[in-house]
Amino acid sequence: MASINVALLIGSKKKTIMACIEFHNACVDFPIYNASSRSLKKQLIQVATGGKLSANDQGRVIVRALEDLTFSLNDGDRVGLLGHNGAGKSTLLRLLSGVYAPSAGTASISGEVASLIDISLGIDPEASGRENIFMRGILLGMTKSDIAEKLDEIIEFSELGDFIDLPVRTYSSGMHLRLAFAVSTTIRPEILIMDEWLSVGDEGFKHKAEARMNELVQATSILVIASHSRDLVLHTCNRVIWLEHGKIKMDSDPETVTRAYFGH
């Protein structure tokens, strides 16, 4: 029987003594509806996700995106996820974020979790920048009072000026990203989940963004970041997990794993 135990999910105000993530034989399956198991197996050996095709007890085709993941993360861990497209990195990030529950095995997460997988999630182009700060903040688990307290700081950091009260549809792509970044990085979670390093804006703003990101990571007990960058992983992480076809191929220090993954 699969289970996920999230002691503190996004938005919780309780604090644990220590952030911790424990996975034991965790699997994630995606069912494919309205498809014949026999015909699909004839046509496909692998699917684009890199997962395995099989059938459940009802004969429904399923894709196993993650298989038998067992690992633990504790305070101070800065974990890089490596793997080619379709290896299961995004699925694992969503499992860690609480978007998915394991189909088999267990996933136990203790600590306040925040995900920066999609910083523009929840942004409404018809609403003003100010209104979007509240909507995006609530999605991140902040209360209205939390957002109101940080509102001036967010607006100042975004450098949007009077545009903050105009609809986001009037923004340039750079302005849109600055707004999303300013809101999303105001949080200080115990566990931070990221898909690549965030870097937005022109050269002047990039320096601010880089400093904000470093500050956010330093304040986080556990960081999990998926990346294709060798330099980022070596600079940021103290541990690297290499995924291949939904399984852990290697779990070791950054130098060892990047040498095996990228080559010399």
Side-chain angles (χ1 to χ4, degrees), residues 27-93:
C27 303
V28 172
D29 296 331
F30 296 116
I32 301 176
Y33 297 97
N34 300 321
S36 164
S37 173
R38 180 176 299 177
S39 63
L40 266 178
K41 284 184 178 179
K42 284 182 179 179
Q43 295 175 35
L44 301 173
I45 297 175
Q46 285 184 310
V47 292
T49 61
K52 294 182 178 179
L53 281 176
S54 61
N56 61 15
D57 295 339
Q58 291 76 41
R60 179 176 296 131
V61 177
I62 60 172
V63 174
R64 174 147 288 184
L66 296 176
E67 184 169 5
D68 293 332
L69 300 190
T70 298
F71 61 86
S72 61
L73 307 180
N74 299 294
D75 274 341
D77 277 336
R78 302 287 184 264
V79 183
L81 294 182
L82 291 179
H84 300 294
N85 291 336
K89 300 189 302 297
S90 294
T91 303
L92 177 53
L93 292 178

Side-chain angles (χ1 to χ4, degrees), residues 176-187:
H176 184 124
L177 284 174
R178 292 208 308 271
L179 175 67
F181 182 90
V183 183
S184 298
T185 57
T186 194
I187 53 173

Side-chain angles (χ1 to χ4, degrees), residues 123-124 127-134 136 151-184 200-202 205 208:
I123 299 293
D124 180 359
S128 71
R130 190 183 301 272
E131 291 167 333
N132 271 293
I133 289 174
F134 280 90
R136 175 62 181 160
L151 183 61
D152 290 342
E153 173 195 335
I154 294 170
I155 294 172
E156 181 181 357
F157 188 89
S158 71
E159 299 180 358
L160 289 174
D162 292 338
F163 279 94
I164 199 65
D165 291 309
L166 294 179
V168 169
R169 60 178 166 77
T170 65
Y171 291 9
S172 67
S173 58
M175 294 165 66
H176 184 124
L177 284 174
R178 292 208 308 271
L179 175 67
F181 182 90
V183 183
S184 298
V200 297
D202 55 25
F205 193 83
K208 287 177 56 177

Side-chain angles (χ1 to χ4, degrees), residues 171-234:
Y171 291 9
S172 67
S173 58
M175 294 165 66
H176 184 124
L177 284 174
R178 292 208 308 271
L179 175 67
F181 182 90
V183 183
S184 298
T185 57
T186 194
I187 53 173
R188 292 296 180 267
E190 293 171 311
I191 300 171
L192 180 63
I193 310 299
M194 293 179 60
D195 189 1
E196 293 293 349
W197 191 260
L198 299 180
S199 181
V200 297
D202 55 25
E203 286 305 314
F205 193 83
K206 280 182 180 178
H207 291 300
K208 287 177 56 177
E210 189 75 14
R212 173 70 74 91
M213 282 303 306
N214 284 320
E215 178 188 334
L216 177 57
V217 168
Q218 288 298 318
T220 297
S221 295
I222 297 175
L223 170 72
V224 180
I225 180 169
S227 180
H228 294 284
S229 169
R230 181 177 195 158
D231 290 341
L232 173 65
V233 169
L234 288 172

Side-chain angles (χ1 to χ4, degrees), residues 99-170:
V99 176
Y100 300 147
S103 308
T106 59
S108 178
I109 303 172
S110 297
E112 187 179 5
V113 182
S115 170
L116 297 184
I117 296 175
D118 183 359
I119 64 169
S120 293
L121 180 67
I123 299 293
D124 180 359
E126 297 302 321
S128 71
R130 190 183 301 272
E131 291 167 333
N132 271 293
I133 289 174
F134 280 90
M135 288 188 285
R136 175 62 181 160
I138 288 170
L139 281 176
L140 288 168
M142 300 169 67
T143 65
K144 286 186 177 179
S145 59
D146 289 336
I147 302 167
E149 183 179 332
K150 297 183 177 182
L151 183 61
D152 290 342
E153 173 195 335
I154 294 170
I155 294 172
E156 181 181 357
F157 188 89
S158 71
E159 299 180 358
L160 289 174
D162 292 338
F163 279 94
I164 199 65
D165 291 309
L166 294 179
V168 169
R169 60 178 166 77
T170 65

